[in-house]
Amino acid sequence: MKKIVKLFAAFAVVGALAGCARTAPVHQVHTTVSAGHTADQVRTAILKAGQKREWVMSENGPGVIKGRLQARDHFAEVKITYSATSYSINYENSLNLNAADGKIHKNYNRWVNNLDHDIQLNLSAGAAL
């Protein structure tokens, strides 16, 4: 009987550790834009990167873009604030990404990193899109 209890406890610990491995701290992007860009060029670079990565982007006022990504049964929403000198990608909402206590499924961070990378590529290409 003790062996069964120990075995059950071991499986519980392994299961808990496996569940934790899928989450990571929510990545918030704060990037400085090199001199020589206008706010409109930054806006265009963000929208183009979102389109490439299949984010649904919508302008939500001056200097603010909302981004939504649906991947199978997962959903993520970000708020992107921008100016001629910087932009930030901040977590807003999600569904089925285990978001709790400042942590979220690792896929969210990968999606945001990819979006950030493409924005930077667009800006380095001159954003004369």
Side-chain angles (χ1 to χ4, degrees):
M1 185 66 166
K2 285 185 180 183
K3 286 183 181 182
I4 293 174
V5 171
K6 287 182 182 181
L7 186 61
F8 179 73
F11 280 123
V13 168
V14 169
L17 291 175
C20 292
R22 293 183 188 148
T23 61
V26 174
H27 182 59
Q28 306 287 2
V29 174
H30 305 289
T31 302
T32 301
V33 175
S34 63
H37 288 91
T38 65
D40 192 51
Q41 287 175 316
V42 175
R43 176 188 148 279
T44 302
I46 293 167
L47 293 173
K48 184 177 179 183
Q51 181 181 17
K52 178 184 175 189
R53 292 288 174 175
E54 299 182 2
W55 287 77
V56 176
M57 303 298 231
S58 59
E59 295 189 57
N60 200 29
V64 179
I65 296 173
K66 293 277 188 161
R68 290 177 288 131
L69 181 67
Q70 178 83 37
R72 294 176 304 282
D73 62 339
H74 305 290
F75 168 83
E77 187 173 57
V78 296
K79 178 180 177 182
I80 305 170
T81 56
Y82 66 92
S83 68
T85 58
S86 67
Y87 65 89
S88 297
I89 304 172
N90 297 299
Y91 172 82
E92 285 274 300
N93 193 15
S94 65
L95 180 66
N96 293 330
L97 289 175
N98 303 326
D101 301 323
K103 293 191 176 200
I104 196 162
H105 195 284
K106 288 181 179 181
N107 282 348
Y108 169 83
N109 288 338
R110 181 173 47 86
W111 298 333
V112 168
N113 284 332
N114 288 340
L115 180 63
D116 179 39
H117 178 74
D118 286 351
I119 293 169
Q120 290 178 37
L121 285 176
N122 290 339
L123 289 170
S124 69
L129 314 166

